[in-house]
């Protein structure tokens, strides 16, 4: 049981490039979340999903898109990366009926 | 929307001493308050949580207290050890149509000196 895994662990992009971050969970959780973590600002919710095929905007969704084609995977896309998107990205999941969110190890993204 | 403030931003204590981290929230409808510990290079991990119908909860050396009237909650760590050194985040949420959404404080860097 691997829990929540994230791919890749590190990535450096140039401004304007695109990329997709992958989150996978093997706990059969319905809910999945994408957060970004910036110094002095805690974690801020980007997008979330309440189940396969459904997504919704969080606190800071601009510049990101997401997809949940399979229950176990939640993808975060950056179509045209900007330096302001330099951050550490965390994925989390939780089961229906519980409040605890389980976090992945994070992806450190640098946009030059 | 909800706003969570966390203090202090940095806390240094001597091994064996107690550490207290405080958070305030703005939304009186918030009813779930977790605390997460984040070690270097890892994702946050839940260490303790409390719901609005409870004033205090304890788990070995860790306790959380909640004052709904004042809208603040605190994390207490007793007999601190070097392995307690980490970043601690508080969060608040309330149930909404699509389940709870956590709003996090900015974090506290705890250093335990041996």
């Amino acid at each position: 049981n691997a829990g929540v895994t994230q791919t890749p662990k590190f990535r450096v992009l140039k401004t304007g490039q695109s990329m997709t971050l992958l989150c996978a969970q093997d706990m059969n959780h319905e809910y999945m979340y994408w957060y970004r973590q910036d110094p002095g600002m805690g974690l801020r919710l980007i997008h979330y999903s309440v189940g396969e095929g459904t997504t919704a905007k969080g606190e800071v969704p601009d510049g990101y898109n997401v997809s949940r084609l399979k229950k176990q995977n939640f993808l975060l896309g950056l179509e045209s990366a900007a330096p302001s998107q330099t951050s550490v990205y965390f994925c989390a999941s939780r089961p229906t009926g519980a409040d605890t969110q389980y976090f992945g190890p994070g992806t450190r993204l640098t946009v030059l | 929307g909800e706003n969570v403030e966390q203090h202090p931003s940095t806390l240094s204590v001597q091994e064996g001493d107690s550490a207290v981290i405080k958070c305030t929230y703005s939304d009186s409808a918030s009813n779930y308050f977790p605390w997460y510990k984040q070690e270097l290079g890892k994702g946050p991990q839940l260490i303790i949580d409390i719901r609005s119908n409870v004033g205090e909860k304890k788990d070995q050396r860790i306790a959380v207290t909640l004052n709904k009237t004042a809208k603040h909650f605190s994390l207490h760590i007793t007999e601190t050890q070097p392995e307690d050194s980490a970043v601690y985040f508080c969060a608040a949420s309330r149930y909404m149509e699509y389940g709870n959404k956590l709003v996090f404080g900015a974090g506290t860097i705890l250093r335990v000196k041996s």
Side-chain angles (χ1 to χ4, degrees):
Chain A
N1 196 343
V4 180
T5 58
Q6 292 183 232
T7 310
K9 287 185 168 39
F10 304 93
R11 186 72 186 269
V12 178
L13 290 178
K14 294 181 180 178
T15 297
Q17 287 185 318
S18 63
M19 79 161 295
T20 300
L21 282 68
L22 171 63
C23 175
Q25 52 94 4
D26 60 2
M27 299 175 283
N28 202 34
H29 288 174
E30 287 293 333
Y31 295 82
M32 296 187 75
Y33 306 82
W34 275 108
Y35 294 89
R36 60 177 289 172
Q37 183 178 39
D38 302 294
M41 300 187 74
L43 291 97
R44 292 181 292 168
L45 183 64
I46 304 171
H47 286 281
Y48 65 102
S49 169
V50 302
E52 183 178 322
T54 67
T55 63
K57 293 181 180 179
E59 193 183 349
V60 288
D62 293 343
Y64 305 96
N65 57 75
V66 288
S67 65
R68 182 101 181 266
L69 299 179
K70 293 183 179 180
K71 186 177 182 179
Q72 62 268 35
N73 296 337
F74 194 27
L75 279 64
L76 178 71
L78 287 74
E79 289 188 349
S80 179
S84 60
Q85 294 177 304
T86 293
S87 187
V88 181
Y89 292 85
F90 288 99
C91 175
S93 71
R94 74 169 177 89
T96 304
D99 291 307
T100 303
Q101 295 186 20
Y102 298 85
F103 283 82
T107 294
R108 182 173 294 275
L109 175 67
T110 302
V111 183
L112 302 175
Chain B
E2 176 68 278
N3 183 50
V4 177
E5 294 191 358
Q6 183 172 346
H7 300 279
S9 56
T10 305
L11 179 60
S12 290
V13 299
Q14 203 66 36
E15 182 178 358
D17 288 350
S18 295
V20 180
I21 303 170
K22 298 181 179 181
C23 288
T24 60
Y25 60 99
S26 60
D27 187 350
S28 56
S30 289
N31 56 11
Y32 174 65
F33 307 92
W35 284 90
Y36 282 84
K37 176 183 180 182
Q38 185 178 24
E39 296 176 339
L40 197 61
K42 296 184 179 180
Q45 275 200 308
L46 180 76
I47 54 171
I48 196 167
D49 57 12
I50 192 168
R51 298 183 190 284
S52 58
N53 58 349
V54 176
E56 183 175 0
K57 185 176 179 180
K58 194 172 181 180
D59 183 3
Q60 298 182 343
R61 295 186 297 108
I62 295 172
V64 57
T65 59
L66 172 64
N67 183 327
K68 286 191 296 181
T69 303
K71 288 190 281 187
H72 67 71
F73 56 112
S74 300
L75 177 71
H76 305 254
I77 305 174
T78 59
E79 301 172 20
T80 53
Q81 300 167 4
E83 51 265 38
D84 294 328
S85 296
V87 181
Y88 291 81
F89 292 97
C90 64
S93 80
R94 63 184 176 96
Y95 185 79
M96 301 177 73
E97 182 181 359
Y98 295 114
N100 67 7
K101 287 192 290 184
L102 296 176
V103 176
F104 286 84
T108 296
I109 300 171
L110 174 63
R111 296 192 183 94
V112 180
K113 297 175 286 186
S114 56

